[in-house]
Amino acid sequence: MEKTNDYKYVDIMKEVVQAYINTTGRLDDEFFERFFGKKAQAAFLSGMVENNSVEDAMIMNGLAGVDCRKIDFSKLSLKNYMKIPFDSNTQFPEDIKQVFNSILEKSKQFGFGLEGLLQEGKLSGEGINVAIIDEDVDVSNMDTDDINLIYHGESTGHHYHGQTVSSLLASKSCGVAKGAKVHFFQKTKEKDKQFEQIIEYNKNCTNESDKITVLSGSWSIKGAEFEKWQQALRTAGCELVCQNNFVQNFTEISGDDVILNMTEEEKEGFSEGMRQMIEAIDLSSLVKIPINRTYHQYKDEGFKYQASYSNSWGIPQVAGLLALYKAKDKSLTFEDFCGLCRETASEKGVINPVGIYEEVEKRLERAKQNENQCVKKIDIEDDGR
């Protein structure tokens, strides 16, 4: 299969990582901290890591597609196995291969009780319509049996970013809103036109169930423009989830670690600007969602596991959750959803899908009672005339 667009960059990263680990011969906890620890991730997020460097290749691609059969993993703590990127094509030594296979499979689930709600039929992605505006995808390179995708426009190539967000949002195997129909729009500088397309699409739907209810975008727009389009889309029945409102409400965890929650020791060597950026984030007010997840790569290359901090991978998961609950309660807005997330979160602030479901049920019951009271009031008034 021909590699297009940023998949060529992925191939370069694989070569860089392969060459490096061949010279070291081992992966231990020191190796983990250097390339994947909290400090390494913060440096990457702040733009301190050079493109095409070993550090860049490690945190972006990790061991994905790399031959590690001759590498010594004996000094790597088991807890750190779950924090290193790899994929279906990574070749591990026989004695640890099954451990990584288990991580890959288990992490196809969002967890925290969501899969139970889906299996019991309390929530369902089937019949839901969502939209994504992202880096372009070529549908012929995707597993369309697993990702129900409708492409709007003409594809010019295939990017792993667009593939990933589609998979995390709606794929049947590892998505949040499993089986939802994804309306995909290639990201351009003219997002206004794409917003208008979605609004027009919803206006032309004869059935309410065919409308796009959530738009996911791993990008941001200027404040005033965000408010304008959020309201315009909402009026058309579609909630917007993007960088603007995601970072105000959510942050990511990898296992039990809140990635941006750092000790003074972990912040040593940071510039003052970088320290201020991290310390300005009120982690206690944010709902934590899992970022150590498995998702699709190319159709014939299986899946990739990643545990690095990434709003890009967090946003489609929140969009998928919102779409699931909005299918139950059509009146649910993004702000309503965030309020329920905070009210029901665990003591550590971790998202609680079961608790959110129970609160949505209570909302619906209250709405039904209010409707019945209004009907009774009208009946009484009619009797009095």
Side-chain angles (χ1 to χ4, degrees):
M1 181 182 293
E2 182 186 355
K3 299 292 197 309
T4 59
N5 302 316
D6 51 15
Y7 277 98
K8 293 178 180 178
Y9 174 49
V10 171
D11 285 341
I12 293 171
M13 289 191 289
K14 289 177 183 177
E15 292 172 6
V16 169
V17 172
Q18 187 74 68
Y20 181 81
I21 67 168
N22 284 348
T23 62
T24 61
R26 70 179 187 278
L27 269 71
D28 52 20
D29 288 342
E30 185 178 337
F31 171 93
F32 167 80
E33 289 299 335
R34 175 184 171 185
F35 293 112
F36 306 108
K38 290 182 180 180
K39 194 167 183 176
Q41 293 195 47
F44 180 82
L45 291 168
S46 67
M48 293 172 61
V49 175
E50 293 182 16
N51 288 339
N52 298 324
S53 64
V54 177
E55 289 77 9
D56 178 45
M58 284 291 185
I59 206 158
M60 286 294 293
N61 199 60
L63 305 179
V66 174
D67 185 351
C68 300
R69 288 175 294 179
K70 296 181 180 180
I71 304 302
D72 179 11
F73 285 79
S74 63
K75 302 297 185 194
L76 180 67
S77 301
L78 190 59
K79 65 183 177 67
N80 288 334
Y81 278 42
M82 294 190 67
K83 299 175 184 177
I84 296 177
F86 66 96
D87 68 5
S88 302
N89 292 324
T90 306
Q91 295 175 279
F92 290 106
E94 283 297 323
D95 59 336
I96 61 170
K97 182 165 61 175
Q98 190 52 48
V99 177
F100 282 99
N101 285 343
S102 297
I103 292 170
L104 191 75
E105 286 303 311
K106 184 177 180 181
S107 300
K108 289 178 181 179
Q109 298 186 0
F110 180 87
F112 304 103
L114 177 63
E115 277 69 26
L117 293 170
L118 293 168
Q119 289 166 10
E120 293 166 16
K122 292 179 177 178
L123 296 175
S124 176
E126 299 291 336
I128 295 176
N129 286 267
V130 297
I132 290 174
I133 298 176
D134 208 279
E135 299 292 339
D136 202 13
V137 294
D138 179 351
V139 179
S140 68
N141 285 338
M142 300 175 73
D143 184 352
T144 51
D145 290 332
D146 199 29
I147 304 177
N148 187 2
L149 190 141
I150 299 170
Y151 192 96
H152 293 257
E154 186 176 344
S155 175
T156 58
H158 195 67
H159 294 255
Y160 66 78
H161 201 286
Q163 171 99 334
T164 300
V165 294
S166 301
S167 177
L168 285 169
L169 200 165
S171 70
K172 296 173 186 176
S173 59
C174 49
V176 173
K178 298 181 186 300
K181 190 177 293 183
V182 176
H183 296 259
F184 194 96
F185 299 81
Q186 180 183 356
K187 185 175 73 172
T188 69
K189 293 180 180 179
E190 298 178 319
K191 290 194 191 74
D192 290 13
K193 291 184 178 179
Q194 293 166 322
F195 297 151
E196 288 169 355
Q197 277 183 272
I198 293 168
I199 292 168
E200 190 63 25
Y201 175 89
N202 276 7
K203 284 181 179 177
N204 291 332
C205 286
T206 54
N207 296 320
E208 197 70 22
S209 61
D210 292 333
K211 288 186 176 180
I212 295 168
T213 58
V214 175
L215 165 61
S216 175
S218 299
W219 31 258
S220 63
I221 49 181
K222 292 180 181 178
E225 286 293 295
F226 168 75
E227 292 170 8
K228 168 190 168 183
W229 287 110
Q230 182 188 44
Q231 189 54 52
L233 286 160
R234 179 171 291 168
T235 300
C238 179
E239 289 295 310
L240 172 59
V241 184
C242 65
Q243 190 83 0
N244 296 67
N245 51 9
F246 175 84
V247 296
Q248 296 171 353
N249 295 281
F250 298 94
T251 191
E252 286 110 346
I253 53 172
S254 176
D256 293 328
D257 287 343
V258 179
I259 296 171
L260 293 184
N261 185 16
M262 299 187 183
T263 64
E264 285 302 313
E265 183 179 356
E266 286 169 330
K267 287 185 281 191
E268 278 183 14
F270 286 176
S271 67
E272 187 57 32
M274 191 168 167
R275 275 177 167 273
Q276 289 176 0
M277 178 191 76
I278 293 171
E279 291 168 1
I281 301 171
D282 182 10
L283 293 170
S284 64
S285 70
L286 302 179
V287 178
K288 286 75 178 178
I289 61 169
I291 200 63
N292 50 319
R293 294 294 316 283
T294 295
Y295 50 81
H296 280 273
Q297 292 187 297
Y298 265 129
K299 180 176 179 178
D300 63 349
E301 291 190 37
F303 297 88
K304 182 178 180 183
Y305 172 79
Q306 185 93 22
S308 302
Y309 183 90
S310 170
N311 289 164
S312 285
W313 301 171
I315 288 167
Q317 294 190 84
V318 166
L321 287 170
L322 174 56
L324 288 173
Y325 293 108
K326 191 169 176 60
K328 294 284 294 182
D329 181 354
K330 301 292 189 296
S331 69
L332 197 68
T333 64
F334 177 81
E335 292 79 12
D336 293 335
F337 173 67
C338 291
L340 296 178
C341 289
R342 286 192 173 89
E343 289 169 23
T344 59
S346 71
E347 286 184 14
K348 294 182 178 180
V350 177
I351 197 161
N352 177 6
V354 176
I356 298 168
Y357 174 81
E358 291 170 350
E359 289 304 312
V360 168
E361 287 285 276
K362 290 176 186 177
R363 274 173 59 99
L364 292 170
E365 184 58 33
R366 287 193 297 269
K368 185 177 180 180
Q369 289 173 357
N370 290 338
E371 185 180 340
N372 289 340
Q373 287 172 357
C374 289
V375 170
K376 287 178 182 178
K377 184 177 179 182
I378 291 170
D379 288 344
I380 292 169
E381 289 173 349
D382 286 346
D383 287 344
R385 281 200 285 269

